[in-house]
Amino acid sequence: MTVFFVAAISASILLNAFSNAFSLPQMETNGESILGTVDSPLLEPLEGSSWGDMSLETTNVYTATFSDAVVRRYTFNVARVSLAPDGVTSPMIVVNGAFPGPTIEANWGDIIEVTVNNQIQGPEAGTSIHWHGLLQHDTPFMDGVPSVTQCPIAPGKSFVYRFKADRPGTSWWHGHFAAQTAGGLHGAIVIHGPPQNGAQYDVDIGPVLLSDRYHIDYRTLIQGYLSVPLQLIPSDSNLINGKGTFNCSTTSLPCKPDAGYSKFMFQSGKRHLLRLINSGAEGLQHFTIDNHEFLVVELDFVSIIPFKTNKITLSPGQRANIVVQGTGKPSDAVWMRTDIDPVCATATNPKTRAIILYETADHGAIPNTTATPYTAVGCTTYELSQTTPVYAIAPPPKPATHIDLDITVGVNDTGHTQWYMNGSPFRADINQALLARAAVGDTAFERPEWNVYNFGSNSSVRMLMRNYHISPHPMHLHGHDFWVLAEGHGEWDGSVVNPSNPIRRDTHQVLPMVDDKPGYAVIEWEQDNPGIWAFHCHIFSHSSLGFYINILERQADIQDTLIPNAVTNSCTSWNEYAMKNEVEQPDSGI
Ligand SMILES: *[C@@H]1O[C@H](CO)[C@@H](O)[C@H](O)[C@H]1NC(C)=O
Ligand SMILES: *[C@@H]1O[C@H](CO)[C@@H](O)[C@H](O)[C@H]1NC(C)=O
Ligand SMILES: *[C@@H]1O[C@H](CO)[C@@H](O)[C@H](O)[C@H]1NC(C)=O
Ligand SMILES: *[C@@H]1O[C@H](CO)[C@@H](O)[C@H](O)[C@H]1NC(C)=O
Ligand SMILES: [Cu+2]
């Protein structure tokens, strides 16, 4: 008996020792990132918060103003690296040698200033960074969309982005040029704000990034997608905070087993805030924690009336803040899981896990917990009726203007697969910035493939999207949250869900076509932000293949005084570079 007991203990010590010893070094899997390790710090509001007694229940975040802003400065060096997030070494493109990239933190009302240095070599390429979900009121040029708000940052050049942390919550930044986001160019944004009623927490665990991973280089992937017929290229694995595992006997690429799981530290009896972000390229993610329910308290940047669930689904671009009660014992170890939906995306290894360690659990403990069962039907993400913003805003019942957007897939005249928006695939002219033209009154926009929709001075816009394809599309609007009024299949009957306070967010997934009935979604937004705003599918291969339109909003109110020198310089340097070097543009450019 005693002998057996001792043997069991040493077996378990050995097992722990092995799991530690055999995990690859963090430097090899994730470079300079410490996310997902036990050393990753808990987050707290930064010093010098300026939100005073503003509350999420009584403040309209879209119009809130702040007097004393603190500037939070970051330097982003963008470069190619070779990393093995799941044990398979492949080329990536990242910031500061880290995958996932550095987390930007600020307090609500601060100014964020990021100096982006393009150090991309082997081969050289342009780049740009978009700050997903931030409104960019008065700073439309800082939105990071090549051909629209700036030219790509030329190799060896820099661009200083400066914009307001205009709303509290969780988001992310990512490359917006030529599919670079799928190569690893992304990271989290955390903007601290006041506590929300009914959503209090004790511990801020920080970002939990969920992302599908391709072993093929992002440029090669795009070439594959452009071929005819439309290719379904499966992702190879799935990652939590950039970590996952892969069965090396199933690949001929350089591969080391046991890359190691991400780890998160919980405390028994405490409430934990997790900031979930789907930073993936294509996959719809179903997230669960074994034996734990949680409260969903924020969707995208919008605080919602908390609801309890044991599974949350996020499409690429979407975020959710959840509060998890630490119901485990101090010695527990528990699996966190996220599964790519196998019907709504193609994935060779859709499931992955991370480890939650309570405070006295061995850091090498491997959980034995069982997965939470759930049902997933029809690529749906969330119930419109279940999600209610804490700060109510009713959309105008009769919008000032209306547009239909029909989504189809086809082949263009040179034999490339493309996504058609009302019959037109988008293709950028990356040698100019359309917004700089609009600011000086030039709205000729002579090329139809720029897909510019000019809504003039209309106070609000309603859009009915119809998806004539069997894949869902997470649609993201820049510069705004939109209301989601209705969704379904076939014909919209005109009814609106929660008409006095529909869910608002910046990314919503349009349902796939079912039995010849198009999936539809009806969204509406107020034209309160003069500029040109991107509206596109957040599946990288779709936007690369033309799934994109430009919303020109209140052109007469775009001030030419707002054109920063940085934008003019980005175009001068880019055009000089493009003159001297052969620049390829295989995809749509964004
Ligand atoms: C890894 O893949 C090989 C080859 O397909 C298979 O035989 C083996 O069972 C797999 N190992 C695991 C742990 O799944
Ligand atoms: C897993 O299960 C084994 C056998 O039931 C047990 O000895 C071990 O402590 C468990 N591990 C954890 C981390 O709970
Ligand atoms: C078709 O799409 C490809 C890929 O974006 C592009 O290179 C090509 O110019 C397009 N052809 C036409 C006729 O627009
Ligand atoms: C409102 O938008 C429509 C396009 O949907 C446009 O044709 C019209 O000119 C706009 N009206 C004003 C007053 O700008
Ligand atoms: Cu899409």
Side-chain angles (χ1 to χ4, degrees), residues 212-224:
D212 45 16
R213 166 165 160 81
Y214 297 78
H215 295 151
I216 310 172
D217 182 66
Y218 68 96
R219 292 160 297 170
T220 317
L221 269 177
I222 290 302
Q223 293 302 341

Side-chain angles (χ1 to χ4, degrees), residues 35 43 46 72 74 76 100-114 129-136 142-143 161 163-175 185-193 204 206-209 241 273-279 298 300-301 317-321 476 506:
L35 284 177
L43 303 187
L46 307 178
R72 311 285 173 185
Y74 291 84
F76 277 17
T103 301
I104 288 187
E105 267 187 87
N107 291 329
W108 187 16
D110 287 350
I111 299 290
I112 296 171
E113 189 184 284
V114 188
I129 307 280
H130 168 60
W131 321 96
H132 189 113
L134 290 169
L135 301 169
Q136 304 286 7
M142 293 295 155
D143 200 39
Y161 292 92
F163 51 90
K164 184 168 274 178
D166 51 31
R167 49 205 317 206
T170 301
S171 196
W172 61 308
W173 55 264
H174 58 81
L185 191 54
H186 59 250
I189 297 178
V190 171
I191 300 177
H192 299 281
D204 185 345
V208 182
L209 295 118
N241 275 356
L273 176 69
L274 275 64
R275 301 168 176 274
L276 310 181
I277 303 162
N278 185 336
S279 56
E298 177 188 307
D300 295 355
F301 264 129
Q318 292 186 323
R319 293 86 67 207
N321 278 8
H476 172 51
D506 58 54

Side-chain angles (χ1 to χ4, degrees), residues 472-474 537 539 542 547:
H473 302 290
C537 179
I539 292 177
H542 294 185
F547 205 131

Side-chain angles (χ1 to χ4, degrees), residues 551-588:
I551 307 285
L552 173 53
E553 174 171 350
R554 287 173 45 191
Q555 181 271 328
D557 297 324
I558 303 171
Q559 303 291 322
D560 59 354
T561 51
L562 292 179
I563 308 176
N565 287 337
V567 170
T568 321
N569 294 342
S570 76
C571 289
T572 311
S573 322
W574 177 257
N575 283 305
E576 275 170 15
Y577 177 79
M579 218 117 69
K580 290 197 211 104
N581 297 272
E582 203 167 317
V583 175
E584 288 176 13
Q585 190 187 334
D587 73 346
S588 69

Side-chain angles (χ1 to χ4, degrees), residues 400-403 454-458:
T401 187
H402 178 107
I403 171 198
N454 185 349
F455 293 110
S457 63
N458 289 289

